[in-house]
Amino acid sequence: MDYIITTDSNSDVPSEVLNQYGIPVIPQYYAFGDVVYGDEKNMTPKEFYETMRKGDLPKSMANNPAVIREKFETILKKGKDILHIAFSSALSGSCNNVRMTAKELLEEYPERKITIFDSLNASLGEGVSVYRAAELREAGKCMDEVCEVLKEERDHVNVWFTVDDLHHLQRGGRVSKTTAIVGSMINIKPLLRVTASGELKSDGTVRGRKKALKTLVTNMEKSLELGEYGKDRLVCILHGDCMDDALAVKRMVNDLGFERIVINDVSPSIGTHAGPGVVGLVYYGRKRE
């Protein structure tokens, strides 16, 4: 085909899938103190979350325009167009960095085409669109056709998640300090979702970890529109170094009749804000609000 699909590391697509479909990835960055990670220097998810558990607090940073340019220009020089699937523009400046770099490059390569698809989603919520685009491309769809499908389906890609420690949400301004302290004392677990505009929204609380995980699946079951999206659709489970909890969610999703399930780690640049123990569920369902 005459185009290449690209994405960023916040999409959390497993490396073997990226390799299978030849999808270049633009890194998102994170740092502990003065040490920046994201390019050649990286931590495994387990190392990252263990460092957080010990009390070190990371920070995240957007992508690097120079790196975007290098990766895109390599593709353009080969005579290929680009379909880039981006992290939600409502959560980061990364999508805008890609847009600005693409605009500059198209002035130098006017015969080429770069399309930026804003997933308005995060982690494997973004990653689901990467999977979908790759499969459609393999089926022979052109870039414009793929983009149309992604746009039609974007609002149907639902992401619900829960965190194990409210203090990480408090650091990111999602809950107050008082809520974090009191909620932690009485074992309150928040439920959050990604809205249609690509923002994070708190959507209730439950008491206890098991109840939180069960509620993720209950919300999925309520949202399913199987007339439009059948049980052959991909379901993704994301986690912050808590595989046992991810597997527990997988068993509940299996009980709903879904077999095509991907589990992967939450990347450090997102895990910075969610912390160890985050668990999320991604599926096609009713339109996001």
Side-chain angles (χ1 to χ4, degrees):
M1 300 292 286
D2 59 353
Y3 66 99
I4 300 293
I5 298 165
T6 65
T7 189
D8 54 68
S9 57
N10 277 351
S11 66
D12 292 337
V13 177
S15 57
E16 61 269 21
V17 176
L18 297 170
N19 293 333
Q20 176 186 348
Y21 291 108
I23 299 173
V25 175
I26 293 168
Q28 303 283 137
Y29 299 95
Y30 56 99
F32 283 101
D34 295 329
V35 183
V36 177
Y37 300 85
D39 275 322
E40 292 80 10
K41 189 177 183 66
N42 255 309
M43 303 175 82
T44 66
K46 188 163 193 67
E47 289 172 331
F48 173 80
Y49 289 112
E50 281 299 325
T51 303
M52 287 190 77
R53 288 188 180 105
K54 291 173 184 175
D56 290 343
L57 299 179
K59 59 183 178 181
S60 63
M61 291 161 279
N63 48 26
N64 182 338
V67 174
I68 301 168
R69 182 181 181 88
E70 178 187 355
K71 287 185 177 286
F72 277 11
E73 195 163 24
T74 298
I75 296 168
L76 297 175
K77 285 180 176 178
K78 294 178 180 177
K80 302 282 188 178
D81 295 332
I82 297 170
L83 170 57
H84 180 78
I85 298 170
F87 184 60
S88 174
S89 60
L91 296 174
S92 167
S94 296
C95 185
N96 195 47
N97 285 349
V98 174
R99 285 187 176 125
M100 289 191 298
T101 304
K103 184 178 179 182
E104 293 171 1
L105 284 168
L106 288 174
E107 292 176 359
E108 301 171 33
Y109 297 86
E111 73 284 2
R112 298 267 59 86
K113 185 175 182 179
I114 303 175
T115 299
I116 312 301
F117 175 76
D118 183 354
S119 71
L120 296 176
N121 226 318
S123 186
L124 278 162
E126 174 189 356
V128 160
S129 292
V130 178
Y131 272 92
R132 186 76 168 127
E135 290 168 354
L136 289 169
R137 181 182 179 277
E138 289 293 297
K141 300 294 184 182
C142 71
M143 190 162 75
D144 289 343
E145 289 173 319
V146 172
C147 210
E148 276 304 306
V149 172
L150 296 185
K151 286 176 181 176
E152 288 171 7
E153 297 182 351
R154 174 167 49 197
D155 287 350
H156 290 276
V157 179
N158 289 258
V159 177
W160 282 87
F161 67 98
T162 186
V163 302
D164 204 33
D165 187 342
L166 284 164
H167 289 93
H168 295 296
L169 290 179
Q170 181 249 317
R171 285 177 51 231
R174 297 295 169 186
V175 300
S176 69
K177 186 173 183 180
T178 300
T179 298
I181 293 171
V182 175
S184 297
M185 289 173 62
I186 60 175
N187 200 24
I188 289 294
K189 304 299 179 186
L191 298 165
L192 302 101
R193 63 183 175 86
V194 182
T195 68
S197 59
E199 300 171 300
L200 293 181
K201 181 180 179 182
S202 178
D203 214 321
T205 59
V206 296
R207 182 167 291 184
R209 178 71 162 178
K210 287 185 178 180
K211 178 68 172 176
L213 299 180
K214 174 63 177 174
T215 305
L216 294 179
V217 182
T218 301
N219 287 340
M220 172 183 174
E221 189 172 14
K222 290 176 181 176
S223 172
L224 294 176
E225 289 185 342
L226 297 183
E228 187 167 0
Y229 299 109
K231 294 188 177 180
D232 59 330
R233 280 300 180 109
L234 183 67
V235 175
C236 296
I237 299 167
L238 51 99
H239 71 97
D241 195 31
C242 50
M243 178 59 88
D244 287 346
D245 287 337
L247 290 173
V249 172
K250 180 179 183 294
R251 288 191 290 271
M252 288 186 276
V253 174
N254 284 147
D255 289 343
L256 295 179
F258 290 85
E259 296 293 336
R260 193 172 169 225
I261 302 171
V262 169
I263 299 177
N264 202 22
D265 305 282
V266 177
S267 56
S269 56
I270 295 179
T272 291
H273 306 283
V278 59
V279 176
L281 183 57
V282 182
Y283 58 91
Y284 288 90
R286 281 200 299 266
K287 278 191 172 185
R288 291 184 272 163
E289 298 177 354

